[in-house]
Amino acid sequence: MTTRPIARKLHIKGIVQGVGFRPFIYQLARRHQLAGRVANTSSGVTVHVEGAPLAIETFCREVMIRKPMPARITDITGYDADYEGLPEFTISPSQQKTNRSTLVSPDIATCDDCLKEMFDAHDRRFHYPFINCTNCGPRYTIIDDIPYDRPSTSMKHFTMCEACRTEYEDPANRRFHAQPNACPACGPRVSLHDKAGRRMDENDPVADAVRLLKAGQIVAIKGLGGFHLAADATNSEALQKLRQRKRREEKPFALMSQSLTQIGQYAILTPEEQVLLASPVRPIVLARKREPNPIANEVSPKNRYFGVMLPYTPLHHLIMSAGFTALVMTSGNRSEEPISIDNDDAISRLAGIADAFLMNNREIYLRSDDSIVFHAAGDRRLIRRSRGFIPAPVFLKNKVPQILACGGELKNTICLTKGDHAFLSQHIGDMENARTLDFFHLTVAHMKRILDISPVAIAFDMHPDYMSSQYASAQTDVAQIPVQHHHAHVVSCMAENHLDGEVIGLSFDGTGYGTDGCIWGGEVMIATHGAFDRAAHLSYVPMPGGSAAIKEPWRMAAAYLMDAYGDDFADNGLTVFDDLPENTTNLIAKMISQGVNSPLTSSLGRLFDGVAAITGIRKHVRFEGQAAMALEMATADNDRPLPPSETYPYLLPPDGKGSIPVHPLISGVVRDMLERVSVPEISTRFHWTIIYLFADLCRQLREKNGLHRVVLSGGVFQNAILLKGLTLMLAQQGFSVYTHKIVPSNDGGLSLGQAVAAAAIIKTHSA
Ligand SMILES: [Zn+2]
Ligand SMILES: [Zn+2]
Ligand SMILES: [Zn+2]
């Protein structure tokens, strides 16, 4: 039976550019003997196919089923088109369109095919550190505008040689239209420089850099999203030098090893962690230390975990193949500044830290830190959502207006919305210095351009002193919508779980500005996207010394003890204040009773700090959250829930509404300390008291208002024991429990909640 040929047009949206989509369409059409054309547009990919109706039907079905691995189709519309009688299938040049809604692909780790070629001595790209193809390589970090074509990327400065161009133009080749395609003859090159920036390599810069690393030197290496500082992870002396020079005393360093087997020498990997490590995102994964292990103690002192990752660029693979057990690969920055991405900037900013620089002449347009994940309570959890994830959107349940959300202050990200997509930025960092603020401005402008978004509203944190809030307040041409910090956390978790309506939200973190001007952080809310009722919260205690109390948890210990025992709180036989100058506790008591520089807080993070100090685990910290983390690490090392009979006493407010006193819990900890109960036991009891307390409170609230959905958000949920414990207890009591799996529970996910809350507020006001 012969049928008249027909024509059909497809418009495909999603992550369909820079992921080998057009060659895939081309080959698929050829296989089904169809003529036509495929083109990238600013809003996706359009396909015109002509041929036998049955072949076209199969073709359309297979577009969805057989699409290349990194591609993600969010929308596909097909309609009949005029038959043009085209002789063959071709790939048309890109078209500019006014509607620019193409999704740009995140950067993708080097694929196996490219690796095979790179280590093949007969291949023309043997040992070439910029090998890539349509399935792998840089994307977001080298793109400046859309559509995603070579002239819009930092590869525009390199003209392809004859051989590369032939691959690029051959639809049957796996480098067909691979925008960063390059080879040693025509592409970017690496070079090694001494600390003053002078060229020092002879004929193999990578081999020379490896030699330096083996000799215990610190080498700054330009990677995909910025510079790393690298050092041999088994060399204590090198790492002491690195810590000293970077002024980073205790925060753990990330490690890179060549293979899962190698990581297995020093960390115990679960099957889930192995999958996370090997995923194309190639994040840093927190993995349990194996004891003993060959890694120097300086890498991750007093911590049960290593942050580890596998190589994700060809250069990493080349370096790691030189036989290191592991390299420290920490951000190439000075203390809390953004990582360096530019060669000259790196040489000046990292002067005095790096002994040498392994650089290249391909520009990074937008920095992107390594992403950090861990596996807990049955799922992947993000601590930092950055390289490899950005700019893939979070899909929302409903369409929202175009909004820019500015995030908070620490671990900041921004979020831009368009339709039912929310685009979170890469990790911007702690907004505490001018360089981070510059990076914030740059990211806002860059993302608005490549996503073609013109916000009608700007959402921000209520804290008047945050740089992000001040930026928002200055944007007078759009609607300004402040969102309370802990409400934004809850809405962030609701958004990624596609929840609307009313939920119980547990919003636990260190610091957030409350509507009463106090510092919140142990909050139980009845929340919708647009509004919340603060049902209950940890009772207020003062923070003597304000922000000094964050860096010196012994101050919080004083505040909680005074709350429990009154003015003579120091005369209780505890050793927490022993090493302080005489009279310090009297001064603190006076400060508190006179209300001098002692803002009130309901923060659960601070309660963790206070207990960490009382138990002698940490009285001073070097970075935010360190004491709370140490308290978690101090728990008895098993996964079993503690029975309710072994927790500390606690009191709940009537009907689950109001202030939750903390003094019974503090007295319980003190009693145990005085009876010389072991610290692991105390820490475990403390954790489970918090778990039972809040699970009980949720039950009380449910009795009153019938709500059975509980949302867990806020930085404290990086604590795996609390996350697991509360998820378990609440589920056992018949609650539906929702947690973060797509964005961080910490302030890195805040901007998503702000954007979605703002959308709901706009809707209420315009209704
Ligand atoms: Zn590849
Ligand atoms: Zn070439
Ligand atoms: Zn927060």
Side-chain angles (χ1 to χ4, degrees):
M1 190 181 79
T2 50
T3 10
R4 216 159 48 84
I6 59 159
R8 236 177 129 64
K9 208 168 183 118
L10 298 178
H11 194 77
I12 304 165
K13 290 184 181 174
I15 300 175
V16 289
Q17 291 190 11
V19 289
F21 204 79
R22 286 177 303 171
F24 152 72
I25 291 287
Y26 173 92
Q27 281 155 20
L28 191 64
R30 291 254 165 149
R31 196 176 317 141
H32 293 291
Q33 288 160 354
L34 296 169
R37 60 184 166 262
V38 57
N40 271 351
T41 69
S42 294
S43 55
V45 165
T46 55
V47 185
H48 174 98
V49 272
E50 306 191 336
L54 196 63
I56 289 185
E57 199 181 302
T58 320
F59 169 86
C60 292
R61 203 171 45 238
E62 291 188 355
V63 168
M64 291 299 281
I65 307 168
R66 297 188 192 276
K67 66 177 169 55
M69 186 270 296
R72 186 159 172 190
I73 295 173
T74 59
D75 186 55
I76 179 162
T77 42
Y79 42 92
D80 294 335
D82 291 336
Y83 180 73
E84 298 174 24
L86 297 168
E88 57 178 0
F89 199 92
T90 54
I91 295 186
S92 319
S94 294
Q95 306 164 6
Q96 292 284 349
K97 269 202 183 170
T98 45
N99 174 22
R100 294 144 57 98
S101 57
T102 310
L103 299 180
V104 176
S105 160
D107 303 299
I108 311 162
T110 313
C111 74
D112 290 345
D113 290 336
C114 286
L115 278 184
K116 218 179 290 160
E117 284 181 8
M118 189 178 68
F119 286 113
D120 173 0
H122 303 292
D123 194 276
R124 69 188 186 92
R125 291 189 179 87
F126 178 58
H127 281 189
Y128 181 56
F130 301 92
I131 190 168
N132 68 84
C133 71
T134 51
N135 283 312
C136 73
R139 299 287 187 271
Y140 177 67
T141 49
I142 60 162
I143 189 174
D144 194 32
D145 204 349
I146 50 170
Y148 174 69
D149 270 340
R150 195 155 169 129
S152 307
T153 71
S154 62
M155 286 302 293
K156 67 182 169 210
H157 306 294
F158 302 94
T159 310
M160 273 184 276
C161 68
E162 196 64 34
C164 286
R165 179 151 295 280
T166 308
E167 293 168 336
Y168 183 87
E169 288 173 354
D170 173 10
N173 194 287
R174 67 187 183 85
R175 296 205 167 83
F176 177 64
H177 285 206
Q179 305 305 345
N181 190 27
C183 77
C186 67
R189 288 155 187 262
V190 290
S191 52
L192 187 68
H193 302 251
D194 68 11
K195 56 179 127 191
R198 284 179 300 250
R199 187 79 186 257
M200 64 186 289
D201 56 283
E202 288 171 3
N203 48 30
D204 189 344
V206 177
D208 291 346
V210 163
R211 249 192 310 278
L212 296 180
L213 286 166
K214 292 206 163 163
Q217 301 219 18
I218 298 164
V219 181
I221 301 174
K222 187 174 180 178
L224 198 57
F227 275 83
H228 280 117
L229 287 162
D232 181 349
T234 59
N235 185 333
S236 267
E237 226 170 285
L239 299 180
Q240 280 165 20
K241 204 164 62 178
L242 179 57
R243 286 216 175 268
Q244 203 180 6
R245 291 182 186 173
K246 223 189 156 200
R247 300 216 183 97
R248 176 157 157 158
E249 281 112 338
E250 288 172 7
K251 213 168 180 177
F253 285 139
L255 298 176
M256 181 180 278
S257 286
Q258 195 184 13
S259 65
L260 292 174
T261 319
Q262 250 171 353
I263 296 173
Q265 289 178 35
Y266 57 85
I268 302 160
L269 296 175
T270 64
E272 292 86 359
E273 287 160 357
Q274 296 185 17
V275 170
L276 289 175
L277 278 163
S279 68
V281 170
R282 293 288 160 106
I284 295 172
V285 178
L286 301 189
R288 203 58 195 248
K289 281 182 183 172
R290 188 182 286 285
E291 299 289 359
N293 65 66
I295 302 298
N297 190 41
E298 288 79 5
V299 168
S300 171
K302 297 182 203 147
N303 199 310
R304 284 180 185 166
Y305 295 85
F306 283 126
V308 295
M309 62 182 149
L310 290 172
Y312 55 87
T313 69
L315 181 62
H316 294 154
H317 284 281
L318 279 179
I319 295 170
M320 297 315 303
S321 70
F324 297 101
T325 305
L327 283 182
V328 159
M329 290 289 262
T330 188
S331 320
N333 59 0
R334 212 165 252 290
S335 60
E336 299 306 320
E337 290 185 346
I339 45 170
S340 289
I341 55 172
D342 176 79
N343 293 351
D344 294 337
D345 178 70
I347 289 169
S348 73
R349 307 298 309 171
L350 303 179
I353 303 180
D355 296 309
F357 294 84
L358 186 61
M359 312 206 278
N360 67 66
N361 56 345
R362 183 176 69 197
E363 272 178 88
I364 298 170
Y365 282 159
L366 210 59
R367 70 169 57 75
S368 197
D369 287 72
D370 293 319
S371 294
I372 309 175
V373 309
F374 67 109
H375 194 275
D379 269 292
R380 179 193 74 185
R381 314 290 172 176
L382 284 87
I383 293 177
R384 185 196 287 161
R385 182 179 181 273
S386 204
R387 176 190 48 77
F389 288 103
I390 311 299
V394 173
F395 293 90
L396 303 175
K397 188 175 181 187
N398 301 306
K399 287 194 172 175
V400 297
Q402 298 195 358
I403 295 168
L404 166 63
C406 300
E409 174 147 271
L410 299 180
K411 301 183 176 73
N412 201 31
T413 65
I414 61 148
C415 177
L416 282 158
T417 55
K418 185 179 195 175
D420 56 1
H421 293 160
F423 299 93
L424 278 92
S425 70
Q426 72 276 37
H427 171 75
I428 293 174
D430 297 349
M431 304 267 290
E432 294 176 324
N433 57 65
R435 283 173 66 85
T436 313
L437 184 65
D438 286 348
F439 181 37
F440 171 89
H441 288 152
L442 183 82
T443 304
V444 170
H446 190 94
M447 287 187 69
K448 274 160 75 172
R449 182 168 67 249
I450 65 164
L451 301 166
D452 193 35
I453 292 177
S454 315
V456 295
I458 189 160
F460 56 99
D461 195 276
M462 278 180 179
H463 200 306
D465 298 338
Y466 282 180
M467 280 183 174
S468 56
S469 309
Q470 287 168 354
Y471 165 84
S473 309
Q475 314 301 309
T476 46
D477 52 339
V478 291
Q480 298 180 349
I481 304 174
V483 182
Q484 199 279 325
H485 190 98
H486 302 95
H487 181 218
H489 273 307
V490 172
V491 179
S492 169
C493 190
M494 291 175 79
E496 72 157 84
N497 285 292
H498 289 192
L499 301 181
D500 39 27
E502 247 184 357
V503 301
I504 299 174
L506 302 187
S507 199
F508 297 161
D509 67 1
T511 302
Y513 193 78
T515 50
D516 59 358
C518 293
I519 299 165
W520 295 7
E523 310 304 310
V524 183
M525 297 180 159
I526 308 296
T528 61
H529 286 183
F532 71 92
D533 171 38
R534 191 187 191 200
H537 59 88
L538 290 180
S539 63
Y540 282 133
V541 296
M543 287 169 68
S547 58
I550 299 175
K551 293 187 189 105
E552 298 173 356
W554 64 264
R555 288 173 184 264
M556 288 315 301
Y560 287 111
L561 291 171
M562 190 162 154
D563 176 65
Y565 299 105
D567 281 358
D568 45 1
F569 65 88
D571 314 325
N572 52 18
L574 293 173
T575 56
V576 48
F577 307 114
D578 283 5
D579 50 2
L580 296 171
E582 231 184 282
N583 211 27
T584 306
T585 49
N586 288 336
L587 287 174
I588 294 283
K590 214 163 167 189
M591 207 169 170
I592 291 175
S593 37
Q594 295 177 354
V596 178
N597 194 16
S598 298
L600 295 178
T601 186
S602 57
S603 160
L604 181 56
R606 293 292 86 78
L607 180 60
F608 268 82
D609 284 357
V611 172
I614 293 171
T615 50
I617 294 172
R618 281 232 72 116
K619 297 182 204 173
H620 299 264
V621 294
R622 307 278 188 190
F623 58 93
E624 201 245 346
Q626 191 182 12
M629 212 188 288
L631 190 61
E632 180 188 355
M633 299 298 157
T635 51
D637 201 1
N638 70 51
D639 265 352
R640 281 189 306 278
L642 208 66
S645 57
E646 289 179 36
T647 62
Y648 294 120
Y650 55 86
L651 293 170
L652 294 178
D655 297 334
K657 300 204 90 176
S659 169
I660 307 159
V662 287
H663 62 82
L665 207 166
I666 294 293
S667 315
V669 172
V670 170
R671 205 173 318 120
D672 270 0
M673 281 299 288
L674 296 179
E675 285 173 14
R676 300 190 187 284
V677 174
S678 76
V679 170
E681 208 167 315
I682 296 176
S683 177
T684 308
R685 294 180 77 176
F686 171 73
H687 276 83
W688 281 94
T689 307
I690 298 292
I691 292 165
Y692 284 110
L693 187 162
F694 284 103
D696 275 0
L697 193 81
C698 288
R699 225 174 34 215
Q700 280 194 356
L701 288 172
R702 180 173 60 189
E703 278 164 24
K704 200 80 190 152
N705 57 27
L707 296 177
H708 62 92
R709 296 181 301 174
V710 183
V711 165
L712 310 183
S713 189
V716 168
F717 284 106
Q718 283 169 182
N719 181 313
I721 300 166
L722 272 198
L723 178 68
K724 270 194 275 192
L726 261 169
T727 308
L728 181 79
M729 284 303 137
L730 288 165
Q732 277 182 5
Q733 293 173 14
F735 285 100
S736 305
V737 188
Y738 298 90
T739 56
H740 285 282
K741 295 161 191 171
I742 301 176
V743 304
S745 68
N746 62 40
D747 286 5
L750 204 64
S751 57
L752 173 64
Q754 290 174 343
V756 173
I761 293 166
I762 293 171
K763 205 172 160 192
T764 325
H765 282 266
S766 58

